[in-house]
Amino acid sequence: MSHAPEAVVAHLMQRDAFSRLMGMEVLSSAVGQAVVRMQVRDDMVNGFGTLHGGALFSLADSAFAFATNAGGTLSVAIDMTLSIPVASRPGDVLTATAVEQSTTNRLAFVDVTIRNQDDIPVGYFRGTVYRTTRTHELGT
């Protein structure tokens, strides 16, 4: 049974305690695409007073997961990288936009760009997923 991308992503978000803990909000989702927003909080900074790289990675990873799973096929990450050209600080509102660039029966390659409230890129993420033969069961 095929489900609407929004229903799949809503189901995933409901079960994703970490994304909720980080204050992430899914702004939009479609097959191969997702936009996720998060505000940088004081408890997300490192010893330099800037956003911890793990928190930025988590935002990108969540957008990546929602984009690649929105089609209903269970897809799991096999490779991810993140570049951070500009530091983020408490109060910044970050938006991660994930878009599949290429896909095969078993693999999908995705770019995620993270921008702050001033539309400045603060992160470039690239990931690869493996597409399983399983579909998401929304009733569980």
Side-chain angles (χ1 to χ4, degrees), residues 40 46 49-51 56 84-89 92 94 116 120-123:
V40 178
N46 58 27
T50 60
L51 180 65
L56 188 67
I84 306 170
V86 175
S88 298
R89 303 189 184 289
D92 284 350
L94 307 181
N116 67 15
I120 296 169
V122 299

Side-chain angles (χ1 to χ4, degrees), residues 48-118:
F48 303 107
T50 60
L51 180 65
H52 191 285
L56 188 67
F57 190 95
S58 295
L59 173 61
D61 183 33
S62 290
F64 169 57
F66 298 145
T68 57
N69 282 276
T73 300
L74 180 65
S75 302
V76 295
I78 59 174
D79 179 69
M80 299 175 286
T81 62
L82 175 67
S83 298
I84 306 170
V86 175
S88 298
R89 303 189 184 289
D92 284 350
V93 177
L94 307 181
T95 303
T97 302
V99 179
E100 283 187 12
Q101 300 300 315
S102 176
T103 187
T104 68
N105 287 342
R106 289 285 174 237
L107 298 174
F109 305 91
V110 178
D111 287 334
V112 181
T113 301
I114 306 160
R115 295 179 177 276
N116 67 15
Q117 67 280 355
D118 297 319

